[in-house]
Amino acid sequence: MKIVVGDRNLLPHRELFESGLPSGAVVSWHRKFDESAIVADLADADVYVGGRFTPAMAATAPKLRLLHVAGAGTDNVAFDALPPDTVVANTFHHEDSIAEYIVSSALMLRRGFLGHDRALRGDVWATSVYDDAIAQSRSMRGARIGFVGFGHIGGRSWSLLRAFGAEGRAVTGRGNLDAEAEGLDWAGDNTSLLRLMTESDVVVVSAPLNDHTRGMIGGPELEALGPDGVLINVGRGPLVQEQPLYDALASRRIAAAAIDVWYSYPDAGGHGAPSALPFRDLPNVLMTPHSSGVTDHTFLGRVRDITDNIRRLDTGQTVLRTCG
C-alpha cells in the first residue's frame, strides 16, 4: 500500500503516523503543497492524505482508494473529478483548540484588551479609572452569544462559555437543534440569522462553507449586530462578505472582530496578504493565520483517526467518517 501525505501539519507526528500503518505500507511525505510534485507521486497511490485535492491530482490517481482529509473541511476537494471507487473521509479533534481561541478572543475583544495594550505601549492608561470618556468594559456574565453553525466547534465553545454565565442561541443549516437539550435560549434555521445577529453581543461563525452559506453574513447582518457587537469567524472567510465586514469594522458599526479564516491564502512559504482590503490597519481586529485549531492536541488525534481508517481500508472494514 502506498500512502502520499500532502499535509505538513502531520510531519511533527511522523513517527506516530508510520507506527500506526499496516505492515508493508510505504509513505511518501511532502513538506509543502506543490501540486506538480504531488501529481507526479499519485500514479500508484492507494491513499492520499491532505486537505486539498484538485482535478489535476485526480486525473493521475486511478488507483486511489481513500482520500483522507486531515481535518473537517472538504470544500477544497474536487469530488466530481475523483475516481468512482475513491472513498473520502475526514477527521476532527480541533474543537477543543478552537474553543480555546473563541473564548480567549471573546474575552479580549469584549473587554477591550487590544486597545488597552496599544495605549499602554504609549504610556496611556486607557481605562474608565482615569478617563471619564471610556466606559467600563463588559463582563462575559450575561453576554448573549450567537452561534452561526453548531457542530463540534459550536458545541464545545458553548460548554466553556456557559461557565462564564453567558446566554446562548444558535442557527444551523438544518434547523433541527434541540435548544433545551443544549442549554440554549433558542435555536432556529438560517432564516433566523438576522434575529440572531440582533439578539447577540458576540457572534461565533463556524458553519461549513457551501453554496447555501457563502456570503450569508453581509451588511444587514453586521448592522444588526451593532456597535457593541463582536464577530469571531473560525469557519471559512467567505461565510462573511469581505467588503461589508471591512466597512463595518472601519466605521465602528460593529465593535471588533477576531478573524482566523481569510479571503486569500499564502504561497507555500507562508507569504501573502490575507485580504485585498487593509484589515491590518484597523485597530479593532484580531488577525490570526488560520491557526485557531493548530495544536499538538488536534493533530495527535487526527493522526490516530487517519491511521485507523487506513488499517480499516487494508483489512476490508468500513471506513469511518466518510463524506461527499
Side-chain angles (χ1 to χ4, degrees):
M1 175 184 285
K2 179 178 177 180
I3 302 156
V4 177
V5 181
D7 191 320
R8 64 177 289 118
N9 292 300
L10 303 180
L11 278 165
H13 313 291
R14 179 172 180 168
E15 183 176 350
L16 177 65
F17 186 96
E18 294 184 348
S19 70
L21 296 176
S23 176
V26 176
V27 187
S28 178
W29 292 88
H30 291 257
R31 300 197 66 85
K32 62 181 180 179
F33 183 84
D34 180 334
E35 185 179 23
S36 60
I38 294 173
V39 162
D41 204 13
L42 284 172
D44 56 347
D46 300 286
V47 177
Y48 178 73
V49 180
R52 185 178 176 192
F53 201 80
T54 67
M57 294 163 66
T60 58
K63 294 179 54 183
L64 196 70
R65 300 165 59 198
L66 173 63
L67 165 55
H68 211 304
V69 179
T74 59
D75 47 297
N76 288 318
V77 174
F79 282 95
D80 292 344
L82 290 174
D85 296 328
T86 302
V87 175
V88 180
N90 66 354
T91 177
F92 296 90
H93 296 284
H94 55 300
E95 52 268 25
D96 286 336
S97 299
I98 297 180
E100 293 174 357
Y101 175 92
I102 289 167
V103 172
S104 60
S105 298
L107 286 166
M108 181 176 294
L109 297 179
R110 188 165 165 81
R111 295 283 301 275
F113 291 152
L114 282 182
H116 295 171
D117 174 86
R118 187 172 57 255
L120 197 55
R121 292 173 190 273
D123 299 333
V124 176
W125 296 60
T127 81
S128 60
V129 175
Y130 302 101
D131 187 342
D132 292 341
I134 299 175
Q136 292 181 343
S137 61
R138 294 175 174 84
S139 167
M140 291 302 295
R141 179 164 293 280
R144 301 171 301 169
I145 313 297
F147 293 94
V148 182
F150 199 82
H152 291 77
I153 295 169
R156 183 61 182 138
S157 301
W158 176 230
S159 71
L160 298 180
L161 289 162
R162 289 178 73 180
F164 289 94
E167 303 171 4
R169 65 269 297 130
V171 296
T172 62
R174 294 184 178 181
N176 59 353
L177 185 65
D178 186 337
E180 184 176 359
E182 297 292 347
L184 298 166
D185 291 349
W186 61 266
D189 63 20
N190 288 343
T191 61
S192 299
L193 177 59
L194 200 60
R195 176 190 172 192
L196 177 131
M197 302 295 290
T198 302
E199 296 183 7
S200 297
D201 302 308
V202 178
V203 170
V204 177
V205 184
S206 63
L209 180 65
N210 54 46
D211 291 341
H212 302 291
T213 60
R214 184 179 295 273
M216 66 189 302
I217 296 176
E221 291 77 21
L222 295 167
E223 196 73 32
L225 180 57
D228 295 324
V230 171
L231 183 83
I232 301 173
N233 190 2
V234 294
R236 289 290 186 266
L239 293 167
V240 184
Q241 295 174 31
E242 185 175 13
Q243 188 71 56
L245 176 58
Y246 175 83
D247 291 343
L249 288 162
S251 64
R252 298 299 181 115
R253 293 200 300 277
I254 66 172
I259 310 174
D260 188 51
V261 285
W262 289 95
Y263 304 95
S264 300
Y265 275 76
D267 59 25
H271 298 281
S275 170
L277 302 174
F279 283 93
R280 64 173 68 85
D281 297 333
L282 300 177
N284 53 344
V285 182
L286 174 64
M287 300 175 63
T288 49
H290 206 147
S291 57
S292 62
V294 182
T295 66
D296 57 351
H297 171 81
T298 296
F299 284 96
L300 285 168
R302 290 179 174 180
V303 164
R304 294 185 179 103
D305 276 358
I306 293 167
T307 54
D308 175 62
N309 263 342
I310 292 172
R311 291 194 305 271
R312 286 175 169 274
L313 181 75
D314 184 60
T315 57
Q317 299 179 67
T318 302
V319 171
L320 303 179
R321 297 171 308 281
T322 57
C323 45

